Amino acid sequence: MTETPHAAGPEIEVRGLYKSFGDNEVLKGIDLEIRRGEVVCVIGPSGSGKSTLLRCVNLLEEPTKGQVFVGGTELTDPDVDIDAVRRRIGMVFQQFNLFPHLTVTDNLTLPQRRVLRRGKTEAAKVAAENLSRVGLSEKADAYPASLSGGQQQRVAIARALSMGPEVMLFDEPTSALDPELVGDVLAVMRMLADEGMTMMVVTHEMTFAREVADRVVFMDGGVIVEDGTPAQVITAPTNARTRHFLSRLLDPAMAEVEEETPEQPR
């Protein structure tokens, strides 16, 4: 029998997740499942906890309470081999985090050789394949400083893919880019979605969320307010907080001035 898409158990599962920074409780009991092959976009205002949630999924932030599972393995188990689990998770940040003194190819091969213990030839082959996937084969010998922001972010995606992840996490990957460079990065992410990669994406790109995501999760105040298909959450949200956020995001010219509130960790 052929497995149908998303038929397996959750690839990512979060149970009762809390995260505090000092007295500031940023996540307040998050429950979330992402099935294999799903693309889930997490949206919400600044300070809602969405980036903190993403960073807890691979334990870049240590949860205060709760459990996180990836591929059935509990990352929050004190006895887990966290490095082994993290090899199955690709992470792409707002900033590109490329080594400026290394060529594009060397940026892709170094983590393969150090973490996966691949030989130089095999690592270079994998790097070349993934540079081709993101449309940057001709930049293999270039240095990051000679690339546009969009090209650097595509190199960062290729670097993550070179590690052979089962899950990809994206933390607002286009937020640091000039508007004209966003499309190429989103096109690569769309390609990965079409290939069946499990993806959790924190984003403000509503067109991408509407067209590519299987589900959209709206967070506010450290909780999940709505979780459903793009049609349910973006087109016809039922919660007033979701409607207010989307109205300001989709039609900023109509937004009214509000009192500033202190910025909270995301």
Side-chain angles (χ1 to χ4, degrees):
M1 179 178 175
T2 302
E3 184 178 280
T4 56
H6 310 168
E11 192 70 22
I12 299 172
E13 185 175 6
V14 175
R15 300 178 186 171
L17 192 70
Y18 289 79
K19 175 62 183 177
S20 297
F21 295 95
D23 295 331
N24 181 27
E25 191 174 51
V26 178
L27 299 179
K28 304 174 183 178
I30 300 292
D31 293 299
L32 179 66
E33 290 187 1
I34 300 176
R35 303 186 80 80
R36 186 171 302 160
E38 268 193 314
V39 177
V40 174
C41 286
V42 184
I43 64 173
S46 216
S48 60
K50 54 191 187 295
S51 288
T52 298
L53 170 60
L54 194 79
R55 293 172 66 86
C56 283
V57 168
N58 65 354
L59 255 61
L60 289 178
E61 295 288 355
E62 187 78 29
T64 304
K65 185 169 66 173
Q67 295 172 294
V68 177
F69 298 82
V70 174
T73 301
E74 183 184 353
L75 275 69
T76 43
D77 184 336
D79 297 324
V80 73
D81 184 346
I82 187 62
D83 291 332
V85 180
R86 280 190 180 135
R87 293 184 195 119
R88 296 154 55 186
I89 306 171
M91 181 89 182
V92 178
F93 301 89
Q94 296 178 36
Q95 302 301 325
F96 323 123
N97 299 323
L98 301 176
F99 292 111
H101 63 291
L102 298 180
T103 66
V104 165
T105 293
D106 289 341
N107 267 281
L108 269 63
T109 57
L110 182 64
Q112 294 183 65
R113 297 177 67 186
R114 288 194 174 176
V115 177
L116 302 181
R117 303 300 181 188
R118 286 177 179 157
K120 184 175 181 180
T121 300
E122 182 186 4
K125 181 176 181 290
V126 172
E129 290 171 352
N130 284 297
L131 283 176
S132 177
R133 291 174 76 188
V134 302
L136 290 175
S137 294
E138 77 283 1
K139 300 297 185 181
D141 297 323
Y143 286 86
S146 69
L147 306 179
S148 70
Q151 289 171 334
Q152 290 187 59
Q153 190 62 291
R154 286 151 66 194
V155 170
I157 294 173
R159 177 180 58 189
L161 292 173
S162 294
M163 303 298 286
E166 299 170 12
V167 170
M168 287 287 286
L169 309 178
F170 293 87
D171 187 7
E172 298 197 27
T174 61
S175 65
L177 302 179
D178 292 333
E180 68 270 19
L181 303 177
V182 168
D184 289 340
V185 173
L186 294 180
V188 170
M189 295 170 64
R190 187 188 301 263
M191 173 199 73
L192 294 177
D194 290 342
E195 292 176 355
M197 177 65 74
T198 306
M199 296 165 58
M200 183 175 177
V201 184
V202 171
T203 185
H204 283 101
E205 299 290 343
M206 290 301 105
T207 299
F208 177 85
R210 184 184 288 114
E211 295 179 358
V212 180
D214 296 293
R215 284 166 44 220
V216 174
V217 171
F218 172 69
M219 290 184 64
D220 193 19
V223 300
I224 292 177
V225 177
E226 289 200 54
D227 179 350
T229 66
Q232 291 169 332
V233 177
I234 298 177
T235 307
T238 60
N239 190 282
R241 291 154 77 185
T242 314
R243 292 196 297 270
H244 177 69
F245 169 76
L246 289 170
S247 68
R248 293 177 64 84
L249 187 65
L250 299 175
D251 194 3
M254 298 301 294
E256 297 180 358
V257 175
E258 297 179 351
E259 287 294 328
E260 291 285 344
T261 56
E263 182 72 11
Q264 303 294 327
R266 293 180 305 152

Short mmCIF file of all heavy atoms in Angstrom, two decimals, residues 30-34 38-45 48-50 53 199-204 206 209-210 213-220 222-230 232-234 242 245-246:
data_model
loop_
_atom_site.label_atom_id
_atom_site.label_comp_id
_atom_site.label_asym_id
_atom_site.label_seq_id
_atom_site.Cartn_x
_atom_site.Cartn_y
_atom_site.Cartn_z
N ILE A 30 1.91 25.77 24.41
CA ILE A 30 1.71 25.54 22.98
C ILE A 30 1.57 24.04 22.71
O ILE A 30 2.39 23.23 23.15
CB ILE A 30 2.89 26.09 22.15
CG1 ILE A 30 3.04 27.60 22.38
CG2 ILE A 30 2.72 25.75 20.68
CD1 ILE A 30 1.92 28.43 21.81
N ASP A 31 0.53 23.67 21.97
CA ASP A 31 0.35 22.32 21.45
C ASP A 31 0.26 22.43 19.92
O ASP A 31 -0.57 23.18 19.40
CB ASP A 31 -0.93 21.68 21.99
CG ASP A 31 -0.86 21.41 23.48
OD1 ASP A 31 0.01 20.63 23.91
OD2 ASP A 31 -1.69 21.98 24.22
N LEU A 32 1.12 21.67 19.23
CA LEU A 32 1.17 21.79 17.77
C LEU A 32 1.70 20.50 17.18
O LEU A 32 2.65 19.90 17.71
CB LEU A 32 2.10 22.95 17.37
CG LEU A 32 2.30 23.20 15.87
CD1 LEU A 32 1.00 23.66 15.22
CD2 LEU A 32 3.42 24.23 15.66
N GLU A 33 1.08 20.06 16.08
CA GLU A 33 1.57 18.91 15.33
C GLU A 33 1.76 19.31 13.87
O GLU A 33 0.93 20.02 13.31
CB GLU A 33 0.58 17.74 15.40
CG GLU A 33 0.48 17.07 16.75
CD GLU A 33 -0.39 15.80 16.70
OE1 GLU A 33 -0.89 15.47 15.59
OE2 GLU A 33 -0.56 15.17 17.75
N ILE A 34 2.88 18.86 13.30
CA ILE A 34 3.14 19.04 11.87
C ILE A 34 3.46 17.67 11.30
O ILE A 34 4.41 17.01 11.74
CB ILE A 34 4.31 20.02 11.63
CG1 ILE A 34 3.97 21.40 12.23
CG2 ILE A 34 4.60 20.14 10.13
CD1 ILE A 34 5.10 22.40 12.12
N GLU A 38 4.09 18.25 5.42
CA GLU A 38 3.28 19.47 5.57
C GLU A 38 4.15 20.72 5.55
O GLU A 38 5.29 20.71 6.02
CB GLU A 38 2.51 19.45 6.90
CG GLU A 38 1.13 18.86 6.82
CD GLU A 38 0.31 19.16 8.06
OE1 GLU A 38 0.83 18.99 9.18
OE2 GLU A 38 -0.86 19.53 7.91
N VAL A 39 3.57 21.79 5.04
CA VAL A 39 4.16 23.13 5.15
C VAL A 39 3.25 23.94 6.06
O VAL A 39 2.07 24.15 5.74
CB VAL A 39 4.29 23.80 3.77
CG1 VAL A 39 4.84 25.22 3.93
CG2 VAL A 39 5.18 22.97 2.85
N VAL A 40 3.78 24.36 7.19
CA VAL A 40 3.00 25.13 8.16
C VAL A 40 3.65 26.50 8.32
O VAL A 40 4.83 26.59 8.69
CB VAL A 40 2.92 24.41 9.52
CG1 VAL A 40 2.22 25.29 10.55
CG2 VAL A 40 2.17 23.09 9.36
N CYS A 41 2.90 27.55 8.02
CA CYS A 41 3.39 28.91 8.20
C CYS A 41 2.86 29.46 9.51
O CYS A 41 1.66 29.34 9.81
CB CYS A 41 2.94 29.80 7.05
SG CYS A 41 3.84 29.51 5.51
N VAL A 42 3.76 30.02 10.31
CA VAL A 42 3.41 30.62 11.59
C VAL A 42 3.46 32.13 11.44
O VAL A 42 4.50 32.69 11.07
CB VAL A 42 4.37 30.16 12.71
CG1 VAL A 42 3.93 30.73 14.06
CG2 VAL A 42 4.44 28.64 12.76
N ILE A 43 2.33 32.78 11.67
CA ILE A 43 2.24 34.23 11.52
C ILE A 43 1.82 34.84 12.84
O ILE A 43 1.33 34.15 13.74
CB ILE A 43 1.26 34.63 10.40
CG1 ILE A 43 -0.18 34.20 10.75
CG2 ILE A 43 1.67 33.99 9.07
CD1 ILE A 43 -1.24 34.70 9.77
N GLY A 44 2.01 36.15 12.95
CA GLY A 44 1.59 36.84 14.16
C GLY A 44 2.40 38.11 14.35
O GLY A 44 3.44 38.30 13.71
N PRO A 45 1.96 38.98 15.23
CA PRO A 45 2.67 40.24 15.45
C PRO A 45 4.01 40.02 16.13
O PRO A 45 4.28 38.97 16.71
CB PRO A 45 1.71 41.02 16.35
CG PRO A 45 0.91 39.98 17.05
CD PRO A 45 0.75 38.86 16.07
N SER A 48 4.90 37.96 19.59
CA SER A 48 3.87 36.94 19.83
C SER A 48 4.44 35.60 20.26
O SER A 48 3.71 34.74 20.73
CB SER A 48 3.02 36.75 18.57
OG SER A 48 3.81 36.31 17.48
N GLY A 49 5.76 35.40 20.08
CA GLY A 49 6.40 34.15 20.49
C GLY A 49 6.69 33.19 19.36
O GLY A 49 7.20 32.09 19.58
N LYS A 50 6.42 33.59 18.12
CA LYS A 50 6.55 32.65 17.00
C LYS A 50 8.00 32.23 16.75
O LYS A 50 8.27 31.04 16.52
CB LYS A 50 5.91 33.23 15.73
CG LYS A 50 6.41 34.59 15.30
CD LYS A 50 5.52 35.17 14.21
CE LYS A 50 6.10 36.45 13.66
NZ LYS A 50 6.16 37.54 14.68
N LEU A 53 9.11 29.93 19.54
CA LEU A 53 8.58 28.58 19.32
C LEU A 53 9.45 27.83 18.32
O LEU A 53 9.82 26.66 18.57
CB LEU A 53 7.14 28.67 18.79
CG LEU A 53 6.53 27.35 18.30
CD1 LEU A 53 6.48 26.32 19.41
CD2 LEU A 53 5.13 27.61 17.73
N MET A 199 8.10 21.49 6.42
CA MET A 199 8.60 22.84 6.64
C MET A 199 7.75 23.58 7.67
O MET A 199 6.52 23.53 7.63
CB MET A 199 8.60 23.63 5.32
CG MET A 199 9.54 23.06 4.27
SD MET A 199 9.25 23.70 2.59
CE MET A 199 9.45 25.46 2.82
N MET A 200 8.44 24.25 8.58
CA MET A 200 7.80 25.16 9.53
C MET A 200 8.40 26.53 9.27
O MET A 200 9.62 26.72 9.39
CB MET A 200 8.06 24.70 10.97
CG MET A 200 7.38 25.53 12.03
SD MET A 200 7.67 24.79 13.68
CE MET A 200 6.87 26.01 14.73
N VAL A 201 7.56 27.48 8.89
CA VAL A 201 8.03 28.76 8.38
C VAL A 201 7.41 29.90 9.17
O VAL A 201 6.18 30.09 9.15
CB VAL A 201 7.67 28.93 6.88
CG1 VAL A 201 8.27 30.23 6.33
CG2 VAL A 201 8.13 27.73 6.07
N VAL A 202 8.22 30.66 9.89
CA VAL A 202 7.78 31.91 10.49
C VAL A 202 7.92 32.99 9.43
O VAL A 202 9.02 33.22 8.90
CB VAL A 202 8.61 32.25 11.74
CG1 VAL A 202 8.28 33.66 12.24
CG2 VAL A 202 8.37 31.23 12.84
N THR A 203 6.82 33.65 9.09
CA THR A 203 6.87 34.56 7.96
C THR A 203 5.80 35.65 8.05
O THR A 203 4.79 35.49 8.74
CB THR A 203 6.69 33.78 6.63
OG1 THR A 203 6.86 34.67 5.53
CG2 THR A 203 5.31 33.13 6.55
N HIS A 204 6.05 36.75 7.34
CA HIS A 204 5.04 37.78 7.11
C HIS A 204 4.61 37.79 5.64
O HIS A 204 3.85 38.66 5.22
CB HIS A 204 5.58 39.16 7.49
CG HIS A 204 5.59 39.42 8.97
ND1 HIS A 204 6.74 39.33 9.73
CD2 HIS A 204 4.60 39.74 9.83
CE1 HIS A 204 6.45 39.60 10.99
NE2 HIS A 204 5.15 39.85 11.08
N MET A 206 2.37 36.85 3.23
CA MET A 206 1.03 36.28 3.21
C MET A 206 0.72 35.58 1.88
O MET A 206 -0.02 34.59 1.86
CB MET A 206 -0.02 37.35 3.48
CG MET A 206 -0.01 37.86 4.91
SD MET A 206 -0.32 36.56 6.15
CE MET A 206 1.34 36.35 6.79
N ALA A 209 2.23 32.19 2.21
CA ALA A 209 1.43 31.39 3.15
C ALA A 209 0.13 30.94 2.51
O ALA A 209 -0.30 29.79 2.67
CB ALA A 209 1.16 32.19 4.42
N ARG A 210 -0.51 31.84 1.78
CA ARG A 210 -1.80 31.52 1.17
C ARG A 210 -1.66 30.47 0.08
O ARG A 210 -2.50 29.58 -0.06
CB ARG A 210 -2.42 32.79 0.59
CG ARG A 210 -3.83 32.58 0.03
CD ARG A 210 -4.35 33.85 -0.63
NE ARG A 210 -4.69 34.87 0.36
CZ ARG A 210 -4.06 36.04 0.48
NH1 ARG A 210 -3.02 36.31 -0.30
NH2 ARG A 210 -4.44 36.91 1.38
N ALA A 213 1.33 27.09 1.87
CA ALA A 213 1.13 26.40 3.14
C ALA A 213 -0.05 25.44 3.09
O ALA A 213 -1.07 25.71 2.46
CB ALA A 213 0.92 27.42 4.26
N ASP A 214 0.10 24.31 3.77
CA ASP A 214 -1.03 23.42 4.03
C ASP A 214 -1.86 23.98 5.18
O ASP A 214 -3.08 23.87 5.19
CB ASP A 214 -0.54 22.02 4.40
CG ASP A 214 0.20 21.36 3.24
OD1 ASP A 214 -0.44 21.07 2.22
OD2 ASP A 214 1.42 21.14 3.37
N ARG A 215 -1.15 24.55 6.18
CA ARG A 215 -1.83 25.14 7.33
C ARG A 215 -1.16 26.45 7.69
O ARG A 215 0.04 26.63 7.45
CB ARG A 215 -1.79 24.20 8.54
CG ARG A 215 -2.75 23.04 8.45
CD ARG A 215 -2.46 21.97 9.47
NE ARG A 215 -2.17 22.47 10.79
CZ ARG A 215 -1.22 21.95 11.58
NH1 ARG A 215 -0.46 20.94 11.15
NH2 ARG A 215 -1.03 22.43 12.79
N VAL A 216 -1.94 27.34 8.30
CA VAL A 216 -1.43 28.59 8.83
C VAL A 216 -1.78 28.65 10.31
O VAL A 216 -2.92 28.38 10.69
CB VAL A 216 -2.02 29.81 8.09
CG1 VAL A 216 -1.58 31.11 8.76
CG2 VAL A 216 -1.61 29.79 6.62
N VAL A 217 -0.78 28.95 11.12
CA VAL A 217 -0.96 29.09 12.57
C VAL A 217 -0.78 30.56 12.93
O VAL A 217 0.26 31.15 12.62
CB VAL A 217 0.06 28.22 13.33
CG1 VAL A 217 0.02 28.52 14.82
CG2 VAL A 217 -0.20 26.74 13.07
N PHE A 218 -1.79 31.15 13.55
CA PHE A 218 -1.68 32.54 14.00
C PHE A 218 -1.44 32.55 15.49
O PHE A 218 -2.20 31.97 16.27
CB PHE A 218 -2.95 33.33 13.68
CG PHE A 218 -2.96 34.71 14.28
CD1 PHE A 218 -2.09 35.69 13.81
CD2 PHE A 218 -3.80 35.03 15.33
CE1 PHE A 218 -2.07 36.97 14.37
CE2 PHE A 218 -3.79 36.30 15.91
CZ PHE A 218 -2.92 37.27 15.42
N MET A 219 -0.33 33.20 15.90
CA MET A 219 0.03 33.32 17.31
C MET A 219 -0.09 34.76 17.77
O MET A 219 0.19 35.70 17.02
CB MET A 219 1.46 32.84 17.54
CG MET A 219 1.66 31.35 17.41
SD MET A 219 3.37 30.85 17.83
CE MET A 219 3.44 31.32 19.59
N ASP A 220 -0.50 34.92 19.01
CA ASP A 220 -0.52 36.24 19.63
C ASP A 220 -0.45 36.04 21.14
O ASP A 220 -1.09 35.13 21.69
CB ASP A 220 -1.79 37.01 19.26
CG ASP A 220 -1.70 38.48 19.62
OD1 ASP A 220 -0.57 38.98 19.83
OD2 ASP A 220 -2.75 39.15 19.69
N GLY A 222 1.78 34.71 22.97
CA GLY A 222 2.36 33.46 23.45
C GLY A 222 1.46 32.26 23.34
O GLY A 222 1.80 31.19 23.87
N VAL A 223 0.32 32.38 22.65
CA VAL A 223 -0.59 31.25 22.46
C VAL A 223 -0.97 31.15 20.99
O VAL A 223 -0.84 32.11 20.22
CB VAL A 223 -1.87 31.38 23.32
CG1 VAL A 223 -1.52 31.44 24.80
CG2 VAL A 223 -2.67 32.61 22.91
N ILE A 224 -1.43 29.97 20.59
CA ILE A 224 -1.98 29.79 19.25
C ILE A 224 -3.45 30.21 19.28
O ILE A 224 -4.26 29.63 20.01
CB ILE A 224 -1.84 28.32 18.78
CG1 ILE A 224 -0.36 27.99 18.57
CG2 ILE A 224 -2.63 28.09 17.49
CD1 ILE A 224 -0.09 26.55 18.19
N VAL A 225 -3.76 31.23 18.49
CA VAL A 225 -5.11 31.78 18.47
C VAL A 225 -5.97 31.07 17.41
O VAL A 225 -7.14 30.77 17.64
CB VAL A 225 -5.07 33.30 18.20
CG1 VAL A 225 -6.48 33.88 18.10
CG2 VAL A 225 -4.28 34.01 19.30
N GLU A 226 -5.37 30.82 16.24
CA GLU A 226 -6.07 30.10 15.18
C GLU A 226 -5.11 29.16 14.46
O GLU A 226 -3.92 29.47 14.32
CB GLU A 226 -6.69 31.06 14.15
CG GLU A 226 -7.89 31.83 14.66
CD GLU A 226 -8.76 32.39 13.55
OE1 GLU A 226 -9.19 31.61 12.67
OE2 GLU A 226 -9.02 33.61 13.56
N ASP A 227 -5.62 28.03 14.00
CA ASP A 227 -4.83 27.03 13.29
C ASP A 227 -5.76 26.38 12.27
O ASP A 227 -6.75 25.74 12.63
CB ASP A 227 -4.29 25.99 14.27
CG ASP A 227 -3.46 24.88 13.61
OD1 ASP A 227 -3.44 24.81 12.37
OD2 ASP A 227 -2.84 24.09 14.35
N GLY A 228 -5.46 26.57 10.98
CA GLY A 228 -6.31 25.99 9.95
C GLY A 228 -5.70 26.15 8.58
O GLY A 228 -4.53 26.53 8.44
N THR A 229 -6.48 25.89 7.56
CA THR A 229 -5.99 26.07 6.20
C THR A 229 -5.81 27.56 5.92
O THR A 229 -6.37 28.40 6.64
CB THR A 229 -7.00 25.49 5.20
OG1 THR A 229 -8.21 26.27 5.24
CG2 THR A 229 -7.31 24.03 5.49
N PRO A 230 -5.04 27.90 4.88
CA PRO A 230 -4.91 29.31 4.52
C PRO A 230 -6.27 29.98 4.27
O PRO A 230 -6.48 31.15 4.64
CB PRO A 230 -4.06 29.28 3.26
CG PRO A 230 -3.25 28.04 3.40
CD PRO A 230 -4.15 27.05 4.06
N GLN A 232 -9.05 29.29 5.70
CA GLN A 232 -9.72 29.52 6.98
C GLN A 232 -9.09 30.67 7.75
O GLN A 232 -9.78 31.55 8.27
CB GLN A 232 -9.67 28.24 7.83
CG GLN A 232 -10.51 27.11 7.29
CD GLN A 232 -10.24 25.79 8.00
OE1 GLN A 232 -9.13 25.55 8.49
NE2 GLN A 232 -11.24 24.92 8.05
N VAL A 233 -7.75 30.68 7.84
CA VAL A 233 -7.07 31.62 8.73
C VAL A 233 -6.83 32.97 8.06
O VAL A 233 -7.00 34.02 8.68
CB VAL A 233 -5.74 31.03 9.24
CG1 VAL A 233 -4.99 32.04 10.11
CG2 VAL A 233 -6.00 29.76 10.04
N ILE A 234 -6.41 32.97 6.79
CA ILE A 234 -6.08 34.23 6.13
C ILE A 234 -7.30 34.86 5.46
O ILE A 234 -7.54 36.06 5.58
CB ILE A 234 -4.96 34.02 5.09
CG1 ILE A 234 -3.68 33.54 5.78
CG2 ILE A 234 -4.69 35.31 4.32
CD1 ILE A 234 -2.54 33.23 4.84
N THR A 242 -6.96 37.82 15.07
CA THR A 242 -6.42 37.46 13.76
C THR A 242 -6.86 38.49 12.72
O THR A 242 -6.05 38.94 11.90
CB THR A 242 -6.92 36.07 13.34
OG1 THR A 242 -6.77 35.16 14.43
CG2 THR A 242 -6.13 35.55 12.15
N PHE A 245 -4.85 41.74 13.10
CA PHE A 245 -3.47 41.59 12.62
C PHE A 245 -3.42 41.61 11.09
O PHE A 245 -2.62 42.31 10.49
CB PHE A 245 -2.87 40.30 13.16
CG PHE A 245 -1.55 39.93 12.50
CD1 PHE A 245 -0.38 40.59 12.83
CD2 PHE A 245 -1.51 38.91 11.54
CE1 PHE A 245 0.82 40.25 12.22
CE2 PHE A 245 -0.31 38.57 10.93
CZ PHE A 245 0.86 39.24 11.27
N LEU A 246 -4.28 40.82 10.47
CA LEU A 246 -4.26 40.72 9.01
C LEU A 246 -4.67 42.02 8.35
O LEU A 246 -4.13 42.40 7.31
CB LEU A 246 -5.17 39.58 8.55
CG LEU A 246 -4.65 38.16 8.86
CD1 LEU A 246 -5.72 37.12 8.60
CD2 LEU A 246 -3.39 37.86 8.06
#
